[in-house]
Each structure stands twice: as C-alpha cells, then as structure tokens.
Amino acid sequence: MNQIDLIKKIPKAELHLHIEGTFEPELMFEIATRNQVSIRFKTVEELRSAYNFHDLQSFLDLYYEGAKVLIHERDFYDLTMAYLKKCREDHVVHTEIFFDPQTHTERGVAFKTMFDGIYRALADAQKEWGITFHMIMCFLRHLSEESAIETLKEALPYKDKIIAVGLDSGERGNPPHKFERVFKMARDAGFLTVAHAGEEGPAEYIWEALDLLKVKRIDHGVRSDEDEKLIKRLVEEKMPLTVCPLSNIKLCVFKKMTDHNLKKLLQKGVKVTINSDDPAYFGGYMNQNFIEAARDLNLSHQDILTIAKNSFEASFLSEADKKRWIDQVHE
Ligand code: HPA
Ligand code: ZN
C-alpha cells in the first residue's frame, strides 16, 4: 500500500483544531450575506489571496476579523458541521476541538449562542456518522487574567460538556504563568488542562505549562527541541505534543516542510501527533497534514502508524475506547 492510501485508510483522532480556524471563505461570504455584515474583501479569491502570513500575529489579525461574521446559533452550527464533514472524508473518527468564547462574547455574542451551535453540530455528527468528540475551551492569552476568570465562570453551567481548558492566541509576551491562577481554578472545578506553548514562544514556556498549568498535552511544543533536558522530561512523562505541520510552515515557524523537526522529535521518543490547527487558513485538513509531512520528511509506514496510535493514546477518550481504536490502526 502506498503512503497516501495508508494515511487515508487508518482511523485518526484530531487533538488540535480551532473551530474558528475551519471557516472557509465560501461559507464566510455566505454567512456574511445572510447576516448583512460587510467584509473588506470583495471576493472569495481576494480573501484567500490575503492568506500570506509572516508570523502568528499576522494570521490572528485575519482570523479574528473573519470570526466577526458569526452571530447566530445557526452560524456556529454551520461552521462546525462543515468541519465535521471534512473529518468524515479524512477518516477522523474522534475530534477534540478548541473554541474561543472571548472572540465572540467580547463583541456581544452570548456564550450560549456560540456554545449551543457548536455543540448541536457535534452531537448531530456523532449520531449520524459516529464521530465522537470533546470540547476544549481556550482562553485568549493576549487578554487579561480577569477576562479569563470571567470566561471560566460563564462556562461553569456547561461544565459537563467541556472536558478541558486551553490557552491560545499570541504567545510571545504572554507566558503561561500569567494564567496560573485561572488554570488552578479550572482544575479545581474538574477541568483537564492543555496549553499552546513553544510554537513561537521559547522552551521556557513549555516548562511553565507543565509545572504551573499542569497540562496533559502541549499544543505545538516544537521549540522543545532547543532544550535537551526538556526533551528528556517529555519522553519520560510520555507528554504528547499536538504538532501542526502545515500551520508551522504557513506561520514561518519552519521555512519549509523539509526543515520541520517532527520526525526528529519522533525519533527521540516524543509522543508526537499530527493535527490541522486552522485548516481553512493553512492549506489543508488532517490528511493533507499527514501527506505533506510524510512526503517531505520521509516518514515510514511505521512512523505513520505510530503517529495515528499516538493520537488516540493522547486523547481524552476512555482507556477502553483508546484500545478499541488503536487496534484498528494497521496496514
Ligand atoms: N496558535 C495560537 N493561537 C491560535 C492558533 C495558533 O496556532 N490558532 C488559532 N489561535
Ligand atoms: Zn492552535
């Protein structure tokens, strides 16, 4: 079997996906028209041609702008359902999605409106196609601790439907320790924790995410490579990294895919997974990330199977469900 057929065939879990980052230009225009919101780009092509980023912030500026057309429950439903159709095509059987309440509540959309739309689509896809899911609520790290605490309080009535809290947005200058207290509050309330760290920020931020935020996974984490002691710890603790290859190229974390350190990390024994991050902006969904990384980094069939197995091991599924899926990851 060739590499591409293998990637398409095996079941996979996605662990690093921002639902707002799945907003394809066509759907953005459709919803903007229906909500009578204007966007500064005239056509889908013009919008797409603006997807030339030089760093994380240049992407985030466009990402937050795009999210502004999402107003009604139906908009969040349509956004999420469009992503779940891609999961079905790519044989992603389980997804743990990030959502950013502050992106919406800050502009007057009710937490409930956003949450219900996303959740209803996830529940429908589970019923229709058997795609299982968890929801992870991210705090925007460029905003204050106070705003994060406010968001956590708003989420408490939905606690049973949110498995974990996370941390995203502009990393540089917004270290994990800024959110130590709100993460403690979240853990005390029963949430698991994850955090973006070591995407653009230094290895030090990964140490902080582990020691202060007590995370179960590091999102990105590719800069761990700069610190041998940290690598040793990640390996010893079997700490998963949710790596996003196409994202890292689009945001210039690595110049080109052949420079990516995913294979090197895997060879050192780090529990690496592959994910799509913001697929509408970065050039592809799950399988495209696998295909380009596998091609340019010469991943073996065994590497591909290991990464897919890691995705289940690193998930928040029950031990029985993890085992059930891992048993199905083979040639
Ligand atoms: N990094 C940080 N914040 C984000 C990202 C990312 O890759 N995508 C959406 N928000
Ligand atoms: Zn991300």
Side-chain angles (χ1 to χ4, degrees), residues 197-198 202-211 218 221 223-224 230 234:
E204 180 56 28
Y205 286 15
I206 302 175
W207 286 105
E208 284 191 12
L210 296 170
D211 291 331
I218 297 285
R223 288 194 58 191
S224 55
L230 176 58
L234 296 177

Side-chain angles (χ1 to χ4, degrees), residues 239-280:
M239 178 60 60
L241 301 187
T242 63
V243 177
C244 307
L246 288 171
S247 164
N248 292 154
I249 305 312
K250 266 290 200 186
L251 301 187
C252 308
V253 174
F254 300 96
K255 238 190 181 147
K256 49 188 191 312
M257 194 63 88
T258 47
D259 295 336
H260 202 290
N261 65 2
L262 180 150
K263 182 159 176 161
K264 190 174 154 200
L265 290 168
L266 194 66
Q267 284 172 336
K268 287 183 179 184
V270 180
K271 195 180 277 293
V272 171
T273 64
I274 286 184
N275 308 272
S276 70
D277 205 4
D278 302 283

Side-chain angles (χ1 to χ4, degrees), residues 9-288:
K9 171 189 171 250
I10 51 176
K12 294 159 291 275
E14 177 139 73
L15 307 178
H16 185 150
L17 180 284
H18 303 263
I19 198 61
E20 295 88 350
T22 67
F23 209 178
E24 292 287 348
E26 290 79 4
L27 184 61
M28 197 183 290
F29 272 86
E30 189 185 316
I31 295 181
T33 305
R34 141 177 132 195
N35 289 345
Q36 297 179 310
V37 176
S38 68
I39 18 188
R40 76 184 154 92
F41 300 94
K42 283 194 199 67
T43 61
V44 163
E45 292 71 32
E46 196 184 318
L47 173 57
R48 228 183 222 116
S49 70
Y51 292 179
N52 275 309
F53 312 115
H54 52 271
D55 61 4
L56 175 58
Q57 193 57 52
S58 60
F59 153 69
L60 290 171
D61 292 343
L62 207 65
Y63 163 90
Y64 293 128
E65 188 179 334
K68 284 185 189 160
V69 310
L70 299 164
I71 297 173
H72 305 292
E73 197 249 23
R74 176 186 169 196
D75 307 338
F76 291 92
Y77 180 93
D78 291 350
L79 172 73
T80 308
M81 190 47 89
Y83 162 66
L84 290 160
K85 286 182 181 155
K86 303 284 188 178
C87 287
R88 191 165 176 243
E89 285 169 26
D90 278 5
H91 206 192
V92 170
V93 297
H94 175 72
T95 184
E96 302 190 351
I97 70 163
F98 297 133
F99 65 105
D100 291 344
Q102 289 152 300
T103 300
H104 313 296
T105 53
E106 289 255 313
R107 49 187 186 86
V109 173
F111 190 102
K112 180 176 170 30
T113 302
M114 164 218 58
F115 190 91
D116 288 354
I118 298 171
Y119 186 83
R120 192 161 62 84
L122 289 163
D124 281 356
Q126 175 157 354
K127 205 165 82 191
E128 286 292 312
W129 305 319
I131 299 171
T132 56
F133 66 90
H134 281 308
M135 296 177 75
I136 301 174
M137 178 176 81
C138 284
F139 302 119
L140 300 183
R141 68 203 302 159
H142 68 277
L143 299 179
S144 66
E145 178 196 37
E146 192 187 354
S147 172
I149 292 172
E150 196 53 44
T151 305
L152 180 62
K153 285 185 183 152
E154 271 198 279
L156 290 178
Y158 303 87
K159 198 163 78 74
D160 294 346
K161 296 188 170 108
I162 303 172
I163 191 128
V165 299
L167 192 60
D168 64 2
S169 190
E171 188 180 8
R172 285 202 199 106
N174 295 300
H177 72 248
K178 178 175 165 185
F179 298 94
E180 186 176 356
R181 282 182 294 206
V182 67
F183 267 62
K184 168 86 168 65
M185 290 166 69
R187 290 195 311 279
D188 288 346
F191 296 97
L192 301 173
T193 62
V194 298
H196 283 55
E199 175 187 19
E200 279 192 343
E204 180 56 28
Y205 286 15
I206 302 175
W207 286 105
E208 284 191 12
L210 296 170
D211 291 331
L212 306 180
L213 307 186
K214 317 254 185 245
V215 295
K216 301 287 187 209
R217 301 195 287 252
I218 297 285
D219 296 315
H220 292 296
V222 290
R223 288 194 58 191
S224 55
D225 201 16
E226 297 166 13
D227 181 341
E228 272 312 309
K229 256 179 78 183
L230 176 58
I231 291 286
K232 194 163 169 279
R233 175 162 178 196
L234 296 177
V235 172
E236 275 172 13
E237 294 186 3
K238 300 187 170 66
M239 178 60 60
L241 301 187
T242 63
V243 177
C244 307
L246 288 171
S247 164
N248 292 154
I249 305 312
K250 266 290 200 186
L251 301 187
C252 308
V253 174
F254 300 96
K255 238 190 181 147
K256 49 188 191 312
M257 194 63 88
T258 47
D259 295 336
H260 202 290
N261 65 2
L262 180 150
K263 182 159 176 161
K264 190 174 154 200
L265 290 168
L266 194 66
Q267 284 172 336
K268 287 183 179 184
V270 180
K271 195 180 277 293
V272 171
T273 64
I274 286 184
N275 308 272
S276 70
D277 205 4
D278 302 283
Y281 293 89
F282 298 154
Y285 290 77
M286 182 65 114
N287 284 356
Q288 197 59 30

